[in-house]
Amino acid sequence: MFEEASEVFDNMFKSSFPLTFIVFIPAVLILVSPLPTEAAHEFTVYRMQQYDLQGQPYGTRNAILNTEARTVEAEVLSRRCVIMRLVDFSYERYQKALRQSAGAVVIILPKNMSTMPQDIVQQFMELEPEMLATETIVPVYFALEDDELLSIYTQTLTTSSSQGSSSAAEVLIHTATANGFQMVTSGAQSKAVSDWAITSLEGRLAGTGGEDLPTIVLVAHYDSFGVAPWLSYGADSNGSGVSMLLELARLFSRLYTYKRTHAGYNLLFFVSGGGKFNYQGTKRWLEDNLDHTDSSLLQDNVAFVLCLDTLGNGDSLHLHVSKPPKEGTTQYALLKELETVASSQYPEVKFSMVHKKINLADDTLAWEHERFGIRRLPAFTLSHLNSHREAQRSSIMDVRSVPYVDLRKLSRNTKLIAESLARVIYNLTEKQVQEEQLSSVVDWLTAQPRAAQLVDKDSSVVSTLEYHLGHYLKDVRRHYVKADKRDPEFVFYDQLKQTMNAYRVKPAIFDLLLAVCIAAYLGVIYLAIQHFGVLYSVVRRITAPKTKQH
Amino acid sequence: MTLFHFGNCFALAYFPYFITYKCSGLSEYNAFWRCVQAGATYLFVQLCKMLFLATFFPTWEGGAGVYDFVGEFMKATVDLADLLGLHLVMSRNAGKGEYKIMVAAMGWSTAELVMSRCIPLWVGARGIEFDWKYIQMSFDSNISLVHYIAMAAVVWMFTRYDLPKSFRLPVTVLLGLCVYKAFLMELFVHVFLLGSWTALLVKAVLTGSISLCSLFLFVTLVHSN
């Protein structure tokens, strides 16, 4: 714009005076009048995090920029605003920009994250904490891409990339004529916000049946974290946890309205803020309740504290504990119920307990339950993540769409947890369908025939059924029906079971044949006996010579 | 036709006895009553044997498939009482050796026939079911007739005072064989798993050989004087 103005001036002075005068005055007036802030393109940028935690500063320290735009391919980056697209983003380039003391870094993110390939998203997710860990004075901004921004980028890209490769003459022409962009932020320098209050919410459902009831605390932190605060949507971490907590609150409030389903446990719901900043909300709440109040539900009988963190996806559920629960305690009962419900009703869910001791030497606590553990309250966190260090717990990429929050899995997890909690609260460990019971009853019933003609009023089937019903019900009575004498509806007949014998028989001819054979045999015997004397004399003759020799 | 079958079996069993009685010339000696007495002795001896077995031999409590060799051997030893009974009968009858032998044997075996075979035949052979075992039973009674004749002959020979020394051993062996014949038969059946007809054949052969040996010895003895 300035170049054009200078051209006009040149023309003014070269050509005739009066004409230029007519043109000159309005031009000057226009020029002098306050310029409307009309930029080539105006867009919202989101600054990277800047915070101090426990005295340690994180993130970028600066907010204002007023520098020329360059892309990372350019040679000279110092005091320039480096524009990068997410697809081209890499940690080396970022470091290069910072090392050359760039004036600022602007990272352009696509409007729709799901168009990005997963590996780029994953890589960026893992780089976010590293970007935050290195404290820098270079302001880093994020912008959402639109067509004009893209065109600005491509123009800057051609300018920057051509700088190195062209000849001196081209460079000279470029410096004079090229279209550059100046990036200016509208706001002021960043400063610390004083008296910022982090809000947490608590609510309760009182149990029935006397004083000193045990309390169950359900906790979820509602805040989110990412490399840029305005872009942290935190869908899975911890939007899923909060939505699950609200749903559980709704379910149990319904149950507690009716006297029959009002259980003997106090339910305390706590939606905590500042969760991503080392669970500040929970810490202060615990201090207030345990140190500064005379009596609170947290001081008396706490059965357990269940923290919900990142449950919107995945086919595994991990119960993170700092101390494995002992047998016989309510915490152990919850652990067992979670295992049982997961294995019997949701077999695709792999449930496991993860034991991690609280490490007070770490900068930040791992999970929210550790805050309670430090104050000696039995607590655990349920999450589908195996480790608290997973990148997706604190990423701007954690948005509503499918890789992070799958509604079916969230609702399945909610059902699982609600079922397990209900079983513990209502002591329903035996009040479920028992397969062994069913199978033994079916085995007994099918072991005998139960046709109507066979089951009379004294039969064991009837008496066993009567006994079994009498076990659980009142007023078990028998009722008989006999057929009407004159016009019977049904008539039964007997002789339903007989013994049949099969005898081996031979045909009649056989007996005759046998008689003939026996007659023949007897005839032979008769002859033999008649002529026994012959045998006798033969034997005598055989033995006789021997005796003669003697 | 099952009564017919009973008739068949009965004829098969009884006729040889009848024929033997008739053809051995016993009827000429009016030996009928003596045979009956021999039969009575048989009954008495069997009763004593049963009492003895019941009192002194415990029931075998082993497995069903295991054959108690020793127990059965002991039980068979009790059958020595048979020999005593035969001797008793023969000693009470005066007469020639052959006469004594025949009377004793006839009476004994007829009593056995009546006692142990008639009732099974009457009950079983008349039934609808046909079984070969009734025919086999009848054959068996024929074989036991020959067996008892041989046994009586051996007993008579054993008790003779004029038995030559060289005869002692064979006679004793034959005596032993006679007594333990039943035991041996059961052993054979058990060890070689013989079928019923094969067992019958073996029994016939065994009895035949025993009787032939005893006949040889008898003839030699009688005609050596």
Side-chain angles (χ1 to χ4, degrees):
Chain A
M1 196 177 80
F2 291 110
E3 290 94 347
E4 283 163 40
S6 55
E7 271 186 41
V8 167
F9 273 119
D10 288 341
N11 287 335
M12 290 297 152
F13 292 130
K14 284 174 196 161
S15 53
S16 55
F17 199 64
L19 199 62
T20 57
F21 205 67
I22 300 168
V23 179
F24 191 62
I25 303 292
V28 168
L29 286 171
I30 292 168
L31 281 171
V32 165
S33 62
L35 284 167
T37 49
E38 211 186 84
H41 182 53
E42 192 178 82
F43 52 98
T44 324
V45 285
Y46 309 101
R47 195 162 75 99
M48 191 200 260
Q49 292 265 10
Q50 180 183 4
Y51 64 95
D52 297 343
L53 187 62
Q54 277 144 214
Q56 183 85 359
Y58 293 91
T60 173
R61 298 280 112 183
N62 234 331
I64 41 173
L65 70 97
N66 189 339
T67 58
E68 247 184 275
R70 285 278 181 279
T71 63
V72 90
E73 287 83 2
E75 277 189 358
V76 180
L77 288 179
S78 72
R79 289 178 291 106
R80 302 277 194 279
C81 171
V82 181
I83 310 186
M84 280 193 250
R85 289 185 74 209
L86 182 64
V87 282
D88 308 321
F89 180 81
S90 75
Y91 197 54
E92 295 79 45
R93 294 181 176 185
Y94 178 68
Q95 288 283 49
K96 179 181 168 192
L98 291 185
R99 262 200 315 272
Q100 299 194 14
S101 353
V105 177
V106 173
I107 302 174
I108 303 180
L109 303 170
K111 250 208 168 59
N112 196 355
M113 281 300 173
S114 46
T115 56
M116 281 280 122
Q118 262 307 103
D119 50 342
I120 294 186
V121 168
Q122 196 64 30
Q123 180 198 34
F124 186 75
M125 252 204 310
E126 271 145 40
L127 287 175
E128 282 184 55
E130 294 195 34
M131 285 165 68
L132 285 175
T134 54
E135 183 206 349
T136 167
I137 52 164
V138 174
V140 180
Y141 280 96
F142 294 85
L144 293 175
E145 186 178 282
D146 55 11
D147 296 328
E148 294 181 5
L149 198 54
L150 190 59
S151 80
I152 292 174
Y153 176 75
T154 36
Q155 287 175 47
T156 323
L157 183 63
T158 43
T159 322
S160 313
S161 49
S162 63
Q163 269 186 353
S165 57
S166 33
S167 64
E170 281 178 35
V171 167
L172 223 60
I173 299 170
H174 258 288
T175 31
T177 58
N179 222 356
F181 289 96
Q182 185 82 359
M183 305 304 222
V184 187
T185 54
S186 54
Q189 178 58 287
S190 69
K191 58 184 194 313
V193 176
S194 65
D195 282 341
W196 181 264
I198 297 180
T199 321
S200 308
L201 301 163
E202 72 166 85
R204 74 183 61 184
L205 286 171
T208 180
E211 306 280 321
D212 260 356
L213 291 170
T215 307
I216 291 176
V217 190
L218 293 168
V219 182
H221 60 89
Y222 67 84
D223 59 317
S224 60
F225 190 82
V227 74
W230 273 96
L231 291 174
S232 326
Y233 296 102
D236 199 10
S237 178
N238 193 13
S240 59
V242 175
S243 45
M244 192 183 282
L245 186 94
L246 292 177
E247 185 59 19
L248 288 175
R250 184 190 72 83
L251 283 172
F252 281 104
S253 108
R254 279 282 141 117
L255 287 171
Y256 272 44
T257 321
Y258 302 106
K259 201 157 176 292
R260 287 223 57 142
T261 48
H262 199 169
Y265 279 89
N266 291 324
L267 291 177
L268 192 54
F269 294 86
F270 186 59
V271 183
S272 65
K276 300 290 184 190
F277 290 96
N278 213 12
Y279 311 107
Q280 296 295 327
T282 313
K283 177 172 173 226
R284 184 57 66 83
W285 185 63
L286 277 172
E287 279 168 21
D288 282 347
N289 269 299
L290 295 177
D291 299 337
H292 305 306
T293 324
D294 283 334
S295 82
S296 98
L297 283 182
L298 283 178
Q299 280 175 348
D300 308 326
N301 194 352
V302 173
F304 57 82
V305 180
L306 180 65
C307 305
L308 305 168
D309 190 337
T310 323
L311 289 155
N313 208 337
D315 277 330
S316 51
L317 263 189
H318 302 283
L319 189 72
H320 298 268
V321 295
S322 41
K323 212 169 53 168
K326 286 210 237 334
E327 274 202 45
T329 55
T330 324
Q331 307 102 279
Y332 189 74
L334 181 71
L335 172 65
K336 281 287 149 223
E337 288 304 337
L338 281 168
E339 271 176 17
T340 319
V341 173
S343 61
S344 62
Q345 294 184 19
Y346 302 99
E348 73 272 12
V349 173
K350 283 180 264 309
F351 176 77
S352 65
M353 182 178 80
V354 177
H355 176 210
K356 178 193 167 303
K357 288 203 175 64
I358 303 177
N359 186 357
L360 291 168
D362 272 345
D363 292 333
T364 55
L365 292 179
W367 297 102
E368 195 153 8
H369 73 272
E370 297 191 353
R371 277 271 168 233
F372 294 90
I374 291 173
R375 302 304 303 245
R376 304 260 187 277
L377 291 170
F380 14 67
T381 306
L382 262 177
S383 176
H384 77 83
L385 296 174
N386 201 6
S387 148
H388 65 279
R389 285 190 224 282
E390 296 260 356
Q392 67 187 79
R393 280 186 82 217
S394 48
S395 164
I396 58 171
M397 297 297 173
D398 187 6
V399 292
R400 176 68 176 82
S401 57
V402 166
Y404 301 103
V405 175
D406 185 348
L407 193 62
R408 277 174 315 155
K409 296 195 178 164
L410 176 60
S411 65
R412 176 202 71 200
N413 288 341
T414 315
K415 280 184 214 158
L416 205 162
I417 294 170
E419 172 86 31
S420 314
L421 273 175
R423 287 214 183 158
V424 172
I425 289 177
Y426 292 102
N427 199 9
L428 286 178
T429 40
E430 279 174 23
K431 293 159 187 114
Q432 54 188 289
V433 170
Q434 284 186 316
E435 267 193 41
E436 300 94 27
Q437 181 88 332
L438 268 180
S439 100
S440 63
V441 171
V442 169
D443 287 342
W444 167 71
L445 277 175
T446 52
Q448 60 219 314
R450 296 185 323 279
Q453 297 102 310
L454 298 176
V455 181
D456 72 342
K457 59 178 158 74
D458 298 321
S459 95
S460 67
V461 177
V462 174
S463 46
T464 312
L465 283 172
E466 195 179 6
Y467 171 77
H468 210 71
L469 281 176
H471 228 354
Y472 305 110
L473 310 171
K474 290 201 186 3
D475 280 339
V476 177
R477 273 194 290 256
R478 288 178 175 229
H479 187 259
Y480 299 108
V481 57
K482 287 202 171 108
D484 194 39
K485 288 276 184 277
R486 259 169 292 131
D487 189 13
E489 297 95 348
F490 60 89
V491 182
F492 290 141
Y493 294 87
D494 64 351
Q495 297 300 351
L496 297 166
K497 187 157 87 159
Q498 303 270 2
T499 321
M500 192 177 280
N501 296 310
Y503 295 111
R504 228 176 301 128
V505 286
K506 294 273 183 192
I509 304 293
F510 177 78
D511 274 334
L512 286 170
L513 201 64
L514 200 62
V516 167
C517 292
I518 288 173
Y521 171 77
L522 290 174
V524 168
I525 295 286
Y526 179 74
L527 285 171
I529 292 175
Q530 287 281 51
H531 298 282
F532 180 70
V534 175
L535 179 66
Y536 195 80
S537 51
V538 164
V539 173
R540 192 169 166 187
R541 234 183 297 126
I542 292 172
T543 55
K546 290 186 191 162
T547 52
K548 268 193 185 156
Q549 278 169 16
H550 288 114
Chain B
M1 287 302 229
T2 50
L3 204 60
F4 198 87
H5 187 59
F6 170 71
N8 278 340
C9 294
F10 188 74
L12 183 58
Y14 178 66
F15 265 44
Y17 287 72
F18 186 70
I19 294 167
T20 316
Y21 183 75
K22 280 281 184 246
C23 298
S24 63
L26 282 174
S27 52
E28 296 159 22
Y29 289 92
N30 289 326
F32 187 72
W33 184 238
R34 297 229 178 257
C35 290
V36 172
Q37 275 182 330
T41 318
Y42 169 83
L43 286 171
F44 177 71
V45 168
Q46 295 306 323
L47 194 68
C48 289
K49 272 198 337 193
M50 276 200 294
L51 282 172
F52 188 78
L53 277 173
T55 315
F56 293 105
F57 284 82
T59 48
W60 170 238
E61 278 131 9
V66 177
Y67 187 70
D68 178 23
F69 293 103
V70 179
E72 293 295 325
F73 187 76
M74 298 305 256
K75 286 187 194 165
T77 314
V78 182
D79 288 335
L80 279 167
D82 279 339
L83 299 176
L84 284 171
L86 276 172
H87 175 65
L88 193 70
V89 169
M90 284 192 288
S91 59
R92 281 183 36 194
N93 286 325
K96 271 182 69 182
E98 292 154 356
Y99 171 76
K100 280 203 245 195
I101 292 169
M102 284 313 293
V103 161
M106 276 309 302
W108 200 268
S109 48
T110 313
E112 203 208 6
L113 172 72
V114 169
M115 285 297 125
S116 60
R117 308 234 196 270
C118 271
I119 295 180
L121 279 179
W122 175 254
V123 170
R126 270 192 331 130
I128 307 172
E129 168 117 1
F130 173 81
D131 204 339
W132 278 112
K133 71 179 184 219
Y134 302 110
I135 299 285
Q136 286 170 354
M137 219 186 277
S138 314
F139 267 123
D140 192 49
S141 69
N142 294 355
I143 293 167
S144 41
L145 174 65
V146 176
H147 175 253
Y148 280 120
I149 293 173
M151 194 146 99
V154 172
V155 169
W156 180 79
M157 280 191 282
F158 192 77
T159 54
R160 292 279 289 177
Y161 61 87
D162 59 348
L163 193 67
K165 291 286 177 206
S166 57
F167 280 20
R168 276 270 156 206
L169 185 64
V171 168
T172 320
V173 166
L174 277 177
L175 211 60
L177 265 177
C178 280
V179 170
Y180 289 109
K181 189 197 84 162
F183 171 70
L184 275 172
M185 276 314 304
E186 277 195 48
L187 195 71
F188 278 146
V189 169
H190 203 79
V191 171
F192 299 114
L193 296 166
L194 301 170
S196 49
W197 286 109
T198 328
L200 204 62
L201 195 66
V202 170
K203 199 171 187 177
V205 166
L206 196 63
T207 312
S209 53
I210 291 173
S211 47
L212 214 59
C213 293
S214 60
L215 181 67
F216 264 103
L217 288 169
F218 178 79
V219 168
T220 318
L221 187 64
V222 164
H223 294 279
S224 62
N225 312 340

